[in-house]
Amino acid sequence: MKSDSVKKLSIAGLLCALAVAGSLFFTFPVLGSRCAPVQHMVNILCAVFLGPWYGLAAAFIASLLRNLLGWGSILAFPGSMCGAFLCGLVYWKTRNPALTLIAEVIGTGIVGGLAAYPLAIAFLGQSAADIAFTAYVVPFLISTVAGSILAGILLFALQKNGGLKAMQSALER
């Protein structure tokens, strides 16, 4: 196994652990959904440091662990995974942190919010079918905007002091 793959896998594991632990300490309910902004911050950090595939994998594993531990719901999957993959693709193509933050909000808030509806019907039962198709967009947007603000503060501070480039080049060696 190459050294850079081991580094990336290690960072992905640490970020995944941060997402799971963050969901224990920093979540709040909004309209029947558990908002976990740390997950969205982690999605953006994975996008910037690791790329879309590691971000997608970390989001899936974090969602799975949160569900197995009883700290999340089935709705964690579309929200975190759509956002992680879209912001990973945007950063990979543009290298622009601001566009990456916007991509996370669109990927999680809109795409993930809409994708949550069929899952809610399939796994949460008839009461989920009684709500509007767009009902999960608002709580997902609230959660992802909060996480994107956290990530934006961190990324722009790292960018300002040169830490962002140093961390990225350390992962590319």
Side-chain angles (χ1 to χ4, degrees), residues 147-172:
S148 295
I149 289 169
L150 292 172
I153 291 167
L154 180 60
L155 285 177
F156 291 116
L158 286 171
Q159 195 172 34
K160 188 173 181 168
N161 71 14
L164 184 60
K165 274 207 186 301
M167 293 169 84
Q168 286 172 324
S169 62
L171 286 169
E172 292 173 1

Side-chain angles (χ1 to χ4, degrees), residues 48-123:
V48 170
F49 294 123
L50 305 172
W53 298 110
Y54 281 97
L56 181 63
F60 173 78
I61 292 169
S63 295
L64 181 63
L65 289 172
R66 287 172 49 207
N67 274 274
L68 290 174
L69 293 168
W71 300 341
S73 76
I74 195 75
L75 304 179
F77 288 99
S80 64
M81 292 173 64
C82 292
F85 190 65
L86 185 60
C87 74
L89 286 176
V90 167
Y91 190 80
W92 180 48
K93 291 292 187 184
T94 67
R95 299 289 188 228
N96 184 325
L99 289 177
T100 304
L101 297 173
I102 293 167
E104 169 63 23
V105 171
I106 292 169
T108 294
I110 297 171
V111 177
L114 294 174
Y117 183 76
L119 278 178
I121 291 172
F123 292 99

